Every structure is written in C-alpha cells, then in structure tokens.
C-alpha cells in the first residue's frame, strides 16, 4: 500500500468529522504546493518592488513628510484648491506629451510641496527619473566640489547629472538672496534643460515680478515658455488643519 495513502487514512481517523482536509491524495497535495509556491513568488516580487520604489523615493530628494503625498490625499477646502489640484494632475498625466515646466508660487503651508511631490510620486511610479532639490542643498553640493579632488566630483558632473533627470524640481527659490554665482548656476541649469527639452519645476514664496528680479528675465522666459504651468497658491496656510 502506498505510504502516503496509509498516512492519510491514519489522519482521517484522528481528524474530527467537522474538519475538512486541504487535500485527499498525492495529486491534490502536489497542486497545493504549486499554488503556495506561486503565491510566495508573488509576495516576494511585490516586496522587491516596494523596496525598489522606496529606494527610488529616497534618491529623489522627496522628504519623509511628503513621501505619501498624492493627488487623492490633497486637502480641498475651496475652489482654489480644486483648480491647482486638477492642473497639477493634468500636468503629471500628460507628462510624456509635453516638455513644459511649472512654477508653484505662494506662501508657506498652502500645498505647493504636496502637489509637487504628488507629481513626483506619480511620475516615479511610471519609471521616470525625478529629483527635488532645494537651492541651499544644490549650492552646498557645488561648493563641496571646490576642494573635493578625491572622488573627482566636479561642478560639470553635477550639472550633467541634473540635466539627465526627466523632471528636476528646484525648491525654496528666494529663501535667500541669490549671489551672482547662484544666479549663474540656475541660469545654466535652466538653459541646459530647455535645450535638452527637459521639464523643470520651481517652488517659491515669491510672485512673478519678485522671481524675475531675483533670477533674471532670461530664466523666467525659459520657465514660462509654451504651455508651461504657473500656479498661484494665493491663500493662507492651512497646514495646521491637516491631520
């Protein structure tokens, strides 16, 4: 008599009548193992995708506060919120159809970073290379190249890397008074990306005139060319209202 059948018969005597076994023969046992293997494989694949996505998010410069930002969880209190949400969502969904840039302007706590990161998270989920970088971090990295000969890190290499991004977002425009060097760097970045038909985003507390005075007419002309998006977050901070 088959050994497995003998074991099954013994188990039938021990198991209460109201409990039904998962399988009754070798074939059913084999099919059960195959199903479990496929299920485990899907779980491992899903976990690997999550780990990979988290790694990409960390490299994108998206701060932990904004890693879960999406269009769905953007807080809507009035029609102004709804309009900027729909515009940002359209920009992201039609990203492959255009090379437009965007500027989000408004006071702190009005939702600029949330929507910028919602765009970023959306594009990253579709395999795009996105980087969010504050002006202070950008300048700090560039200044490190002045005395960093060990790893052959140069200003040119950093600018080339920035130009490879599908979307580059420069945050905190106008937090500090731009020096001639900072203006020159921003000018180079915008010029290179415009020439390469790459999209650039800017987040600022300044209005158009203030930004033009700070960055110059040439940069603003590049940023606002064609159907590029300018969204004015012209309302008070509602950050404290959001859980």
């Amino acid at each position: 008599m088959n050994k497995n059948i003998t074991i099954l018969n013994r188990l039938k005597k021990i198991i209460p009548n109201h409990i039904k076994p998962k399988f009754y023969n070798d074939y059913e046992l084999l099919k059960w193992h195959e199903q479990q293997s496929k299920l485990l494989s899907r779980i491992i694949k899903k976990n690997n995708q999550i780990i990979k996505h988290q790694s990409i998010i960390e490299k994108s410069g998206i701060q932990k506060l904004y890693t879960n930002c999406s269009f769905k969880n953007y807080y809507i209190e009035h029609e102004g919120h709804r309009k900027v949400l729909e515009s940002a969502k359209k920009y992201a969904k039609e990203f492959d159809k255009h090379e437009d840039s965007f500027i989000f302007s408004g006071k702190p706590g009005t939702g600029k970073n949330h929507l910028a990161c919602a765009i970023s998270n959306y594009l990253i989920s579709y395999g795009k290379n996105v980087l969010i970088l504050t002006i202070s971090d950008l300048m700090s990295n560039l200044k490190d190249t002045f005395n960093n000969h060990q790893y052959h890190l140069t200003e040119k290499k950093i600018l080339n890397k920035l130009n490879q991004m599908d979307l580059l977002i420069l945050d905190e425009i106008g937090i500090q008074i731009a020096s001639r060097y900072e203006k020159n760097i921003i000018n180079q970045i915008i010029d290179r990306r415009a020439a390469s038909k790459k999209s650039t985003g800017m987040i600022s507390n300044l209005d158009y005139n203030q930004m033009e005075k700070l960055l110059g007419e040439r940069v603003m002309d590049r940023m606002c060319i064609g159907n590029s998006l300018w969204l004015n977050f012209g309302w008070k901070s509602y950050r404290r209202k959001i859980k």
Side-chain angles (χ1 to χ4, degrees):
M1 182 179 292
N2 187 288
K3 183 178 179 180
N4 289 332
I5 295 177
T6 304
I7 294 173
L8 286 172
N9 289 333
R10 290 178 180 175
L11 288 174
K12 287 178 183 178
K13 295 178 179 179
I14 300 173
I15 298 174
N17 292 331
H18 68 278
I19 296 178
K20 301 297 181 182
K22 289 183 178 293
F23 37 80
Y24 292 90
N25 53 53
D26 293 352
Y27 175 76
E28 291 181 356
L29 175 60
L30 179 61
K31 294 298 292 183
W32 182 80
H33 276 298
E34 289 178 353
Q35 292 171 357
Q36 293 302 304
S37 296
K38 289 179 180 179
L39 177 60
L40 181 60
S41 178
R42 287 197 294 267
I43 292 173
I44 292 173
K45 184 178 180 180
K46 183 66 176 178
N47 287 339
N48 287 339
Q49 289 175 339
I50 291 173
I51 292 171
K52 182 180 179 181
H53 183 74
Q54 288 174 338
S55 176
I56 293 172
I57 290 291
E58 289 174 2
K59 293 178 181 178
S60 72
I62 298 175
Q63 298 178 10
K64 288 185 177 181
L65 180 63
Y66 302 108
T67 53
N68 293 320
C69 287
S70 68
F71 301 121
K72 291 183 178 180
N73 59 20
Y74 182 70
Y75 183 77
I76 296 178
E77 194 176 52
H78 52 67
E79 188 59 25
H81 295 154
R82 192 178 305 279
K83 286 182 178 179
V84 294
L85 171 61
E86 292 304 317
S87 296
K89 188 189 298 183
K90 182 180 179 182
Y91 178 92
K93 292 187 174 182
E94 297 180 357
F95 188 79
D96 286 330
K97 300 178 182 179
H98 63 72
E99 56 202 54
D100 302 326
S101 295
F102 70 79
I103 297 177
F104 291 173
S105 169
K107 295 179 179 179
T110 51
K112 304 185 300 299
N113 285 86
H114 183 117
L115 285 185
C117 291
I119 291 173
S120 302
N121 286 326
Y122 179 89
L123 295 179
I124 287 171
S125 70
Y126 283 92
K128 301 297 182 183
N129 294 318
V130 179
L131 178 64
I132 298 180
L133 193 61
T134 65
I135 294 299
S136 58
D137 284 341
L138 169 62
M139 295 307 160
S140 177
N141 289 332
L142 288 171
K143 289 174 182 177
D144 284 344
T145 67
F146 297 164
N147 300 311
N148 190 340
H149 304 295
Q150 183 178 356
Y151 300 105
H152 306 287
L153 186 64
T154 64
E155 178 184 290
K156 183 178 180 180
K157 286 183 178 180
I158 290 179
L159 295 180
N160 287 341
K161 182 67 175 178
L162 296 181
N163 200 46
Q164 293 172 8
M165 297 293 115
D166 295 311
L167 174 63
L168 172 67
I169 301 177
L170 299 176
D171 191 10
E172 297 183 357
I173 301 288
I175 290 295
Q176 57 189 28
I177 299 175
S179 65
R180 181 176 297 180
Y181 174 72
E182 290 172 342
K183 290 180 180 179
N184 180 53
I185 288 296
I186 294 174
N187 202 320
Q188 285 189 59
I189 291 172
I190 302 305
D191 270 353
R192 288 187 181 201
R193 293 187 61 79
S196 301
K197 296 185 177 182
K198 296 289 186 69
S199 301
T200 307
M202 286 186 176
I203 305 173
S204 179
N205 299 336
L206 307 179
D207 60 26
Y208 181 90
N209 292 330
Q210 291 171 323
M211 289 188 70
E212 185 178 59
K213 183 177 180 180
L214 179 72
L215 302 177
E217 183 179 350
R218 180 183 178 86
V219 170
M220 295 304 293
D221 183 63
R222 294 285 196 191
M223 287 297 300
C224 298
I225 195 170
N227 295 316
S228 292
L229 186 64
W230 177 287
L231 293 183
N232 182 26
F233 293 68
W235 44 81
K236 294 180 180 180
S237 172
Y238 60 29
R239 187 173 287 161
R240 293 182 181 178
K241 298 180 183 180
I242 303 173
K243 298 295 182 182

